[in-house]
Amino acid sequence: MKQTCSTTNSTEDNLYFRKFEDRKPDQPIPDSKGRTMLFQFFAMLLLLFGVYYLYWRWTESLNWNAAFFSFSLVIAETLSFISLCLIVINYWSNDDSPLKKPAHFLSDIKEISADDDRPLSIDVFITTVNESIDLVRFTIEDALKMKYPFEDVSVNIHLLDDGRRDGRDPLKENFKVLAEQYGINYLTRENNFGFKAGNLNNAIEKTNGDLILILDADTRPFEGFLNHTTGYFREKNLAWVQTPQWFYDLTESVPLSVFLRQQFKGLNKKRKTISDFLFNKIKTGHDIFGSNPKLFYDVILRRRNYHNASFCCGAASIHRRDFLFESAEIKYQEDIKQYIEEEKALRRDKSQEELKTEAQSKITKTVFEHHISEDIYTSLLLHSAPGRNWKSVLHIYVESKMLSPQDLESRVKQYARYAQGSIDIALGKHSPLVIKGLNLRQRLCYINTVYTYFSTLWITVFLLSPILFFFTLTPPVLAFNFDFFKHFIPFQVLNIILMAIANWGVNTHRAKQYYISNFWLYMQSIFKVLRQRNMEFNVTRKKQVNGEKQVIRHIIPHLTIVALTLLGILYNTYLIFKGVHPSYSGFTVNVIWGFINIYQLNAFIRAAFWKNTTPITPEEDFSELYPNQLTPAL
């Protein structure tokens, strides 16, 4: 591969992530057959106790004096239990694919005649829309450093610029010149239709690599990326390989005393000394935005290898070109057939051939689906392709490094895109509930993915239940007595044990907090999709921003729940002292429940006020170039 010397820029030294360049990714959790068997044992035990608990809840514990409250809670518990069942299926077993030596010839990955054989060709797509030239330069340089053992294998790097920064606008950095400096290909288009998928489709039509590596503007591959991933394609029905995404710029923990000084700059010297003495040993702020994806890649997606249901997550993935085009042709023909069937009943004056011609003029064949979640959508279509049995692999080793959201606003926009895209797929014509071609295990894994974004339906009830009790003094169960605890506690203890076994070796603390804290974001996403509002492809901002006042709107629901919970505790404490509280056990249970809710929400609230202590990147924040578009799934 061509090696190009690095060039520098005056702002390069101020890029915040440079201080993290020496960070190394964790190794994947070693597979353990014994731990898998232990998980399966406790999973069966938990599901049995769960069914027993829910049977008791529905038949013996409902409080008809508070019917709405009582039914809301038991329905929420039932929905949560369904989620638990899907998680158990997802986690059931592990099947890591063994590493294979890199592919050399086309015959290594495809059944062809000897006369048609030739060395492999690989395309590397670097997608960009509004990121700074300094950031993209790092990605290009690392892509050029990738090594491959066969000199006759062509590895062609393409810069896919959806910002049209080719010199036509003198106010924008010239990415075409950047590509020329590094000796790579520059591709752009005259519109941004189809979001990132449209950018990829434009590039794939102008290139011819047998395998396609997709990198985002900040996805910096390691030298061995291609060496470690192309060998999987020796399995002739393998469609793509996803590698774990690793964010090497996660916020570091700082002493609580430092955090307090940042928030309360008016502390005098005496109070500062006291604060340092009391709180200097307490650390806070590690991964404050909940971006660490280790749980997802090292456990959730990894376990889907067993079900052949690991899906593509966009960047840091490598694809077989032939299967992408074949899948696109399958969907194209299905769309034409559906169009003819729908129109034939309404327009009897048109012949089949006339309707087919009309359909071909209106329907566009797309390799990557024009959707804000093009990665999982395209994966779903590939896995469900009739009669193909195409496979996917989650490669368990980190092969690149990426940047994470550095402020709550960026984090919310990123997860809103994930949520809206998945919910749109769940409610569309290619929903994993109805799409043909998936086997049962694949279907359940995809359902688990989209079902997660409906978690607000039960999490909101769990957050509001203590508040309702505090201000109505009416329990959602007949009584918080021994009968309640003997059913509830074993189920919850088994749940804790099972999740500890399932997520062994991964710190799930922050993930649990954001699973709860995302309730408002997911609720807004559901309503936006149901109203068929235009969904935005928000490109995650690749810089640090401090002091944005607009983030406060994201935490108003969280602050409201915290305030009402604390107010309810104070009110009930007053009633206890007055001796007029109707249920001391109910008070105790809901105080514990309320404080757990507050603890889970606190990370999201603190993230809104978090101040980065590393230098800020003085890069220009270009206006959003992807226009609002209604995705086609609904």
Side-chain angles (χ1 to χ4, degrees):
M1 293 181 60
K2 182 176 180 178
Q3 301 291 319
T4 305
C5 296
S6 169
T7 61
T8 58
N9 183 281
S10 59
T11 62
E12 185 178 321
D13 291 332
N14 294 317
L15 294 168
Y16 80 91
F17 51 82
R18 294 195 63 186
K19 68 177 291 187
F20 306 126
E21 290 295 310
D22 293 332
R23 286 184 176 177
K24 304 296 181 184
D26 295 332
Q27 291 298 305
I29 305 299
D31 188 22
S32 169
K33 300 301 180 185
R35 191 166 64 247
T36 297
M37 293 178 63
L38 190 64
F39 168 82
Q40 292 171 351
F41 169 76
F42 275 99
M44 296 303 297
L45 201 60
L46 175 63
L47 294 182
L48 288 173
F49 268 87
V51 170
Y52 172 65
Y53 170 73
L54 285 178
Y55 174 79
W56 172 79
R57 285 285 286 115
W58 279 99
T59 60
E60 299 182 36
S61 70
L62 296 177
N63 184 358
W64 293 96
N65 293 324
F68 178 79
F69 183 13
S70 189
F71 271 98
S72 295
L73 183 57
V74 74
I75 291 172
E77 289 180 277
T78 304
L79 292 174
S80 179
F81 181 71
I82 293 173
S83 177
L84 178 62
C85 294
L86 292 171
I87 290 172
V88 166
I89 293 169
N90 189 141
Y91 281 27
W92 187 252
S93 190
N94 196 40
D95 185 20
D96 293 334
S97 297
L99 293 175
K100 299 177 181 179
K101 63 180 182 180
H104 185 183
F105 294 100
L106 185 59
S107 58
D108 291 336
I109 69 170
K110 186 178 181 179
E111 297 290 350
I112 57 171
S113 65
D115 293 338
D116 294 328
D117 203 8
R118 56 171 173 76
L120 206 62
S121 174
I122 303 173
D123 284 327
V124 179
F125 290 169
I126 302 175
T127 62
T128 178
V129 60
N130 64 355
E131 297 84 1
S132 76
I133 198 167
D134 294 302
L135 177 66
V136 176
R137 178 180 286 110
F138 279 101
T139 301
I140 294 173
E141 290 179 353
D142 285 349
L144 287 166
K145 292 176 184 176
M146 286 191 295
K147 296 179 179 178
Y148 209 66
F150 310 111
E151 291 186 0
D152 54 351
V153 169
S154 61
V155 179
N156 303 298
I157 301 176
H158 310 273
L159 183 61
L160 281 53
D161 177 25
D162 242 10
R164 292 175 289 283
R165 292 162 293 181
D166 53 5
R168 69 182 71 180
D169 187 345
L171 299 179
K172 291 183 177 181
E173 298 162 308
N174 196 318
F175 277 62
K176 186 176 182 180
V177 170
L178 176 72
E180 291 170 352
Q181 288 175 347
Y182 284 99
I184 67 174
N185 189 30
Y186 176 83
L187 295 172
T188 190
R189 55 184 178 142
E190 295 306 311
N191 60 68
N192 298 99
F193 182 73
F195 313 116
K196 177 182 173 182
N199 195 9
L200 292 170
N201 286 329
N202 177 65
I204 202 170
E205 293 289 348
K206 298 177 180 178
T207 56
N208 56 15
D210 304 304
L211 300 177
I212 300 168
L213 170 59
I214 298 177
L215 305 175
D216 281 348
D218 64 318
T219 310
R220 298 169 57 185
F222 298 154
E223 290 184 358
F225 194 119
L226 297 176
N227 275 352
H228 300 155
T229 55
T230 61
Y232 291 113
F233 291 94
R234 292 177 178 274
E235 192 167 356
K236 302 299 193 292
N237 66 336
L238 184 75
W240 75 89
V241 177
Q242 177 66 54
T243 68
Q245 296 181 359
W246 172 56
F247 299 129
Y248 68 106
D249 64 337
L250 298 179
T251 56
E252 300 173 303
S253 58
V254 299
L256 181 57
S257 58
V258 174
F259 174 72
L260 292 174
R261 287 205 302 273
Q262 290 175 341
Q263 304 305 318
F264 306 103
K265 294 182 178 180
L267 287 175
N268 59 36
K269 186 174 182 180
K270 182 178 180 180
R271 291 176 179 174
K272 173 181 173 297
T273 303
I274 296 173
S275 172
D276 287 348
F277 176 77
L278 292 175
F279 304 119
N280 199 50
K281 298 296 183 181
I282 302 175
K283 301 293 184 179
T284 185
H286 177 70
D287 187 24
I288 192 65
F289 302 110
S291 299
N292 192 341
K294 186 172 179 62
L295 173 62
F296 176 73
Y297 287 103
D298 215 0
V299 181
I300 298 173
L301 204 61
R302 179 180 178 180
R303 291 269 168 169
R304 292 193 183 184
N305 281 339
Y306 173 73
H307 305 286
N308 185 27
S310 63
F311 58 84
C312 171
C313 301
S317 61
I318 184 166
H319 303 254
R320 189 190 297 262
R321 171 185 288 268
D322 287 354
F323 289 1
L324 286 170
F325 275 92
E326 189 175 345
S327 175
E329 180 65 28
I330 291 170
K331 182 177 180 296
Y332 177 64
Q333 295 300 332
E334 288 178 349
D335 288 345
I336 289 176
K337 182 179 178 181
Q338 183 180 356
Y339 181 90
I340 294 172
E341 290 175 353
E342 291 175 351
E343 295 296 319
K344 196 172 184 180
L346 301 174
R347 301 160 64 189
R348 299 184 183 277
D349 58 317
K350 293 283 186 179
S351 68
Q352 179 110 349
E353 285 303 314
E354 287 176 318
L355 289 174
K356 183 177 180 179
T357 302
E358 185 177 298
Q360 290 172 337
S361 67
K362 290 184 177 182
I363 298 172
T364 304
K365 184 191 304 183
T366 55
V367 176
F368 293 94
E369 281 301 302
H370 287 177
H371 195 268
I372 61 173
S373 291
E374 89 291 334
D375 40 19
I376 186 173
Y377 203 160
T378 303
S379 301
L380 182 60
L381 295 175
L382 282 160
H383 270 143
S384 63
R388 294 334 192 253
N389 192 31
W390 288 331
K391 292 187 63 177
S392 62
V393 165
L394 187 279
H395 174 71
I396 65 174
Y397 298 94
V398 173
E399 300 292 351
S400 62
K401 57 186 180 181
M402 302 175 67
L403 300 178
S404 63
Q406 291 293 303
D407 58 90
L408 188 63
E409 181 71 20
S410 299
R411 200 265 184 198
V412 167
K413 286 183 177 181
Q414 183 185 68
Y415 278 77
R417 172 160 56 90
Y418 298 159
Q420 291 168 25
S422 297
I423 293 166
D424 187 64
I425 292 171
L427 301 178
K429 65 179 182 180
H430 292 119
S431 168
L433 282 168
V434 299
I435 192 172
K436 297 178 181 179
L438 297 176
N439 63 43
L440 179 60
R441 284 158 51 189
Q442 288 175 320
R443 190 178 304 279
L444 290 173
C445 285
Y446 274 105
I447 289 173
N448 182 30
T449 297
V450 298
Y451 191 70
T452 299
Y453 295 101
F454 291 91
S455 60
T456 183
L457 300 177
W458 57 88
I459 289 174
T460 302
V461 175
F462 295 154
L463 290 172
L464 295 178
S465 288
I467 298 171
L468 289 173
F469 172 81
F470 289 141
F471 290 103
T472 65
L473 302 178
T474 305
V477 296
L478 283 178
F480 289 105
N481 53 21
F482 176 74
D483 194 37
F484 169 79
F485 289 113
K486 78 176 184 182
H487 290 89
F488 177 77
I489 291 178
F491 175 59
Q492 288 302 316
V493 170
L494 282 172
N495 193 5
I496 293 171
I497 293 173
L498 183 70
M499 289 299 102
I501 297 170
N503 302 320
W504 189 270
V506 179
N507 187 342
T508 61
H509 165 70
R510 194 69 82 201
K512 290 177 182 176
Q513 288 184 308
Y514 273 88
Y515 176 71
I516 302 298
S517 293
N518 283 337
F519 80 98
W520 184 243
L521 186 158
Y522 292 167
M523 185 179 295
Q524 290 177 299
S525 297
I526 290 173
F527 281 114
K528 190 166 189 176
V529 174
L530 289 175
R531 292 163 59 192
Q532 299 190 35
R533 292 284 299 275
N534 289 347
M535 288 175 280
E536 302 173 10
F537 190 100
N538 291 304
V539 181
T540 304
R541 186 162 47 195
K542 306 300 191 304
K543 66 177 184 178
Q544 295 182 333
V545 178
N546 287 330
E548 287 197 18
K549 295 181 179 179
Q550 61 178 330
V551 301
I552 302 300
R553 74 180 191 277
H554 298 307
I555 62 172
I556 290 176
H558 305 71
L559 292 173
T560 302
I561 289 173
V562 170
L564 289 175
T565 301
L566 293 175
L567 187 61
I569 291 173
L570 289 175
Y571 171 61
N572 280 244
T573 302
Y574 169 76
L575 296 179
I576 291 285
F577 278 112
K578 294 285 289 185
V580 295
H581 199 286
S583 174
Y584 285 24
S585 60
F587 170 76
T588 303
V589 168
N590 282 277
V591 166
I592 296 172
W593 189 351
F595 276 120
I596 291 174
N597 286 345
I598 291 172
Y599 174 75
Q600 301 289 23
L601 297 175
N602 92 90
F604 195 86
I605 294 171
R606 286 190 296 124
F609 301 100
W610 190 258
K611 291 182 174 61
N612 291 296
T613 57
T614 49
I616 304 302
T617 307
E619 65 178 69
E620 182 181 1
D621 188 14
F622 297 126
S623 59
E624 199 64 62
L625 296 183
Y626 284 135
N628 294 350
Q629 298 171 26
L630 183 65
T631 56
L634 284 175

